Amino acid sequence: MIHLNKKLVLGAIFLSLTFTGCNEILDEQPRSIYTVDYFSSADGINQSIPSLYRHLRLLYGNGYFMSNCQNGTDESTFAQSADGNFRELDMSGNGNVNSNTFPTSMVWSAAFPNINTANGIIEKGPGFSVPESLISEARFFRAFDYFMLVQTYGGVPLDLGSGELKFNITPVTTSARNTVPEVYTKAVFPDLKKAVDNLPANPRITGGVTKNVARLFLAKAYLTYGWWLQNPNNIPTYPDAARTDPDGHNAQWYFQQAYDIAMAGITNPGQYALQPTFYDVNEGSKDRNTECMLYADHTQSSSYYNESDPVGFGSGWAPDNFAAWMQTWNYTAIKSSTSATTFTGVSSVQREAAQPLGRPWVRMCPTIGVIKNTFADKTNDSRYDGTFVTTYRGNWNKNGTGLTTVPVLYNANNLPVQPGGAILSFLQDDSQTPTYPSGSGNNGVGAGTLPGRADWIVAPNGISRIVYPGLWKIGTYRTDDPNGLGYPNAGLTRPFNVAKFSEFYFIAAEAAVKGASGSMTARDLINVIRARAGKWKFNNAQNTTYIADNSAAMIAATPAAITIDYILAERSREYYGEFYRWYDLVRTQKWGDYAATYQIGGASYGNHTPQTVTRNIQAFHYLRPIPQGQLNAMEVSSDIKAKYQNPGY
């Protein structure tokens, strides 16, 4: 059992999906709150299904959940304007993760109300002749949530108050946690297998779950459970449970199942497919493409269905999509001069609702190691260019800047720059050493110069907690103000991707490294992804069409023997900034190794000296703490509460 709010709000706010170009639009009346009575009719059951999709917005696109998934790993650290929601997660002595840490509580608070809604659909639906294909959407989301919970916290309750996996209508103030094997074998696997059997091959609505979406998560759940059974680094679990499977299988069986199911997804793709280039996957005009299997959707056409004003001032809170703000530095501080002789500074790169720009919150930044090591190949591999903003271009000519009549500004070395020209660039390597000013300098952000170049310059070794490449791939994209700066302060109206077809290849490859076998080797599978990464159609840094096929070079550079370390490096190149990293490192038990130290410059303009930071990641940190709100709501003795909490917290 688990504590539920005694008002028994069952589904949180219900709002429909954004049905853009869908083959079926649900004829439903939105409801703001679900109560028990709402599940007493077929209409109520059917109306509850879109709320399962809506709950994805509570996590995906949420900048604080981004902190949970990325800060404290090898990918990110806290940036200059970070508060405790980002500093604590860094594991570097800037506060400690504890039961009151907000980002680590988010999965718990988002998942359980949704699970109970799914329980209601699954339990009540057959009595109202709701087809199993619809009920299986609820099965998928119940499994999805339990999979997120078990990865985050270890064992969690299957009984919410009325019995295991039962729809709860009784307010309770006690709770008992099931073990990790019980959560997988009683909830995650059975629900996903039924979903694979009963969901359609093609989605009934745009973004709807399908057989292949269920296959992807079943394969990943099998892979994750196989690692848990094997436990190569002796990471503790909680509640205590033997590393044995109730169904009698060993880790190798689960790795093989993960491989087989992932391969079934690849060979039976349905409507899904890899995009021809990495740029195509992430460029805003191509959102909801065939590689994107599941996403938390948004729209710029309706405040009601977007759940916030798409032209207003974003709340910086769920259900808004605002994750991109977190790793956006304050590029508006960059200055150019209106005079060629006396530096008269103006803002040459202004806040704009454009994919390279957007609203700067300066809460997170990449480590130097990401730029120099993870994305070492910036010539053949398109993914660095398709992930980061490395050139900031002048936009002072746009409506609303107050500078629309100014044709030319003067920049580094007093050289002229035009609108659309490069104002500040991050170099690809450290082969050239910029001359940096003391402090912020004329350019306002402490960037340097190179002879003959009009753009201000920052080298990889010079990135810091205050000036760093932005995150292009999940950045703002809009079409409603083409001649102006748009609405950069509103929440993003793009979908935030939750699952991609490309991950089938990674899951199968990882399973193959763990001993699974089949028609494609781990190298074969990874090379499908790497070959695609070698194909270019557009160069973001140069802002120009660039047609190149470096797939042969990418394949040739792939090592003959694929290791888990190589797969993790490829996963970071493919999915950087998409909420995967902490879960990837925890699954493979590599977090403590990969994130033990990192380098980054300081938090002041002009600080370009890399600092080496040491983190304190203990084995117990591989489980997040049970939220204090859950413990406070339990009317039990203090010793029971203490036993309910994960050890170490």
Side-chain angles (χ1 to χ4, degrees):
M1 294 179 289
I2 190 169
H3 170 80
L4 293 176
N5 188 299
K6 293 185 179 181
K7 294 182 180 178
L8 208 64
V9 178
L10 297 177
I13 297 173
F14 165 78
L15 285 169
S16 175
L17 290 168
T18 304
F19 298 110
T20 305
C22 51
N23 57 332
E24 179 183 349
I25 296 179
L26 297 181
D27 182 17
E28 297 169 333
Q29 294 299 313
R31 302 286 190 266
S32 61
I33 293 178
Y34 284 113
T35 63
V36 174
D37 292 340
Y38 202 70
F39 287 80
S40 62
S41 69
D43 180 66
I45 298 293
N46 284 314
Q47 292 281 359
S48 67
I49 291 170
S51 72
L52 303 175
Y53 292 87
R54 181 267 178 191
H55 100 292
L56 294 173
R57 293 177 174 176
L58 302 180
L59 299 176
Y60 291 92
N62 189 310
Y64 297 100
F65 189 55
M66 187 182 194
S67 180
N68 175 75
C69 299
Q70 199 164 315
N71 260 358
T73 73
D74 55 330
E75 287 192 346
S76 295
T77 179
F78 65 88
Q80 182 265 341
S81 297
D83 60 14
N85 291 303
F86 302 89
R87 292 173 181 267
E88 288 179 4
L89 273 293
D90 196 57
M91 316 298 290
S92 58
N94 291 273
N96 297 307
V97 173
N98 58 71
S99 60
N100 288 305
T101 300
F102 173 68
T104 59
S105 74
M106 294 177 69
V107 172
W108 189 280
S109 60
F112 279 114
N114 198 64
I115 286 170
N116 203 40
T117 299
N119 287 346
I121 295 167
I122 295 165
E123 186 174 314
K124 303 291 186 180
F128 295 103
S129 300
V130 176
E132 178 57 41
S133 60
L134 283 179
I135 294 173
S136 282
E137 293 189 29
R139 296 189 194 281
F140 168 81
F141 279 106
R142 183 168 70 178
F144 175 92
D145 282 328
Y146 270 122
F147 184 38
M148 288 296 296
L149 285 162
V150 76
Q151 292 177 92
T152 307
Y153 305 105
V156 294
L158 298 178
D159 181 355
L160 306 189
S162 297
E164 288 190 354
L165 303 178
K166 298 293 185 182
F167 180 49
N168 184 41
I169 60 173
T170 306
V172 292
T173 57
T174 59
S175 180
R177 295 173 64 179
N178 290 80
T179 64
V180 168
E182 289 171 336
V183 174
Y184 276 110
T185 61
K186 291 184 177 183
V188 178
F189 299 152
D191 273 350
L192 287 175
K193 287 192 284 188
K194 281 196 172 184
V196 170
D197 289 342
N198 294 291
L199 286 172
N202 294 310
R204 67 185 179 90
I205 51 173
T206 297
V209 293
T210 63
K211 288 182 182 296
N212 241 12
V213 175
R215 280 193 188 106
L216 180 69
F217 284 92
L218 181 57
K220 194 169 185 177
Y222 279 148
L223 179 69
T224 306
Y225 186 52
W227 276 101
W228 184 88
L229 288 171
Q230 199 173 65
N231 193 25
N233 293 336
N234 295 313
I235 299 298
T237 191
Y238 198 75
D240 292 334
R243 302 277 177 160
T244 55
D245 177 40
D247 295 331
H249 304 303
N250 60 17
Q252 192 57 47
W253 186 90
Y254 281 101
F255 293 137
Q256 188 64 53
Q257 288 295 305
Y259 178 93
D260 291 345
I261 292 167
M263 289 301 300
I266 292 169
T267 57
N268 300 280
Q271 73 162 22
Y272 307 110
L274 295 177
Q275 292 293 290
T277 71
F278 187 77
Y279 176 85
D280 286 309
V281 181
N282 300 298
E283 198 271 319
S285 70
K286 298 174 178 63
D287 284 341
R288 306 176 189 86
N289 60 65
T290 56
E291 191 163 333
C292 303
M293 302 178 75
L294 183 67
Y295 37 83
D297 214 346
H298 293 269
T299 178
Q300 69 181 36
S301 63
S302 169
S303 297
Y304 188 65
Y305 288 106
N306 193 54
E307 294 191 86
S308 66
D309 185 356
V311 299
F313 209 85
S315 66
W317 182 237
D320 274 358
N321 175 1
F322 62 101
W325 303 350
M326 300 299 166
Q327 203 160 308
T328 300
W329 67 287
N330 191 17
Y331 57 86
T332 65
I334 303 170
K335 296 293 188 290
S336 302
S337 176
T338 56
S339 168
T341 56
T342 302
F343 197 92
T344 307
V346 294
S347 178
S348 48
V349 187
Q350 301 204 13
R351 188 182 297 197
E352 181 181 356
Q355 195 162 339
L357 301 176
R359 187 171 169 181
W361 268 28
V362 204
R363 301 299 198 269
M364 297 168 59
C365 61
T367 64
I368 290 175
V370 164
I371 307 303
K372 297 180 65 172
N373 302 325
T374 304
F375 291 92
D377 182 355
K378 301 176 179 68
T379 302
N380 294 316
D381 194 331
S382 66
R383 289 175 292 188
Y384 178 73
D385 184 76
T387 298
F388 293 101
V389 182
T390 59
T391 304
Y392 288 82
R393 297 185 174 275
N395 63 355
W396 70 87
N397 61 312
K398 297 289 183 77
N399 292 339
T401 65
L403 298 169
T404 55
T405 61
V406 179
V408 175
L409 293 176
Y410 298 89
N411 214 53
N413 299 305
N414 292 326
L415 292 172
V417 288
Q418 287 76 38
I423 304 299
L424 183 148
S425 300
F426 291 90
L427 297 178
Q428 292 195 351
D429 57 46
D430 290 304
S431 60
Q432 302 177 85
T433 303
T435 299
Y436 292 114
S438 175
S440 59
N442 282 341
N443 60 68
V445 297
T449 59
L450 286 174
R453 291 187 61 156
D455 49 344
W456 307 113
I457 299 296
V458 179
N461 263 341
I463 72 167
S464 65
R465 297 191 191 274
I466 195 168
V467 178
Y468 48 85
L471 196 49
W472 177 84
K473 72 192 301 189
I474 64 170
T476 301
Y477 174 77
R478 302 183 67 118
T479 60
D480 48 357
D481 188 19
N483 298 314
L485 299 175
Y487 307 99
N489 296 315
L492 277 68
T493 54
R494 299 180 68 183
F496 195 96
N497 291 315
V498 178
K500 291 179 174 177
F501 185 73
S502 55
E503 198 175 9
F504 275 128
Y505 292 88
F506 284 101
I507 292 168
E510 188 173 322
V513 171
K514 298 299 288 181
S517 61
S519 59
M520 296 181 74
T521 66
R523 191 174 190 273
D524 295 334
L525 290 154
I526 288 297
N527 270 338
V528 172
I529 301 298
R530 285 181 54 78
R532 193 266 297 275
K535 296 178 180 179
W536 295 67
K537 70 181 295 184
F538 193 85
N539 187 305
N540 278 321
Q542 300 301 318
N543 193 34
T544 187
T545 299
Y546 175 62
I547 307 299
D549 186 352
N550 302 321
S551 54
M554 292 290 290
I555 290 171
T558 306
I562 303 299
T563 64
I564 291 300
D565 290 325
Y566 192 78
I567 287 174
L568 286 171
E570 280 294 312
R571 286 187 68 94
S572 191
R573 287 186 275 271
E574 190 75 15
Y575 301 123
Y576 182 93
E578 297 185 60
F579 298 13
Y580 286 82
R581 195 57 171 176
W582 186 78
Y583 289 98
D584 287 346
L585 296 181
V586 166
R587 177 182 68 255
T588 57
Q589 301 190 350
K590 294 280 190 176
W591 182 27
D593 297 332
Y594 274 50
T597 64
Y598 65 91
Q599 286 193 315
I600 192 68
S604 299
Y605 290 129
N607 190 328
H608 300 289
T609 302
Q611 302 169 359
T612 299
V613 180
T614 299
R615 290 184 170 122
N616 179 25
I617 301 171
Q618 302 296 318
F620 75 85
H621 289 131
Y622 279 69
L623 296 178
R624 297 302 201 192
I626 303 301
Q628 191 63 41
Q630 167 66 26
L631 301 176
N632 291 344
M634 293 167 57
E635 296 177 3
V636 296
S637 63
S638 58
D639 63 320
I640 293 177
K641 289 184 181 183
K643 291 177 181 178
Y644 196 89
Q645 180 60 274
N646 283 325
Y649 299 105

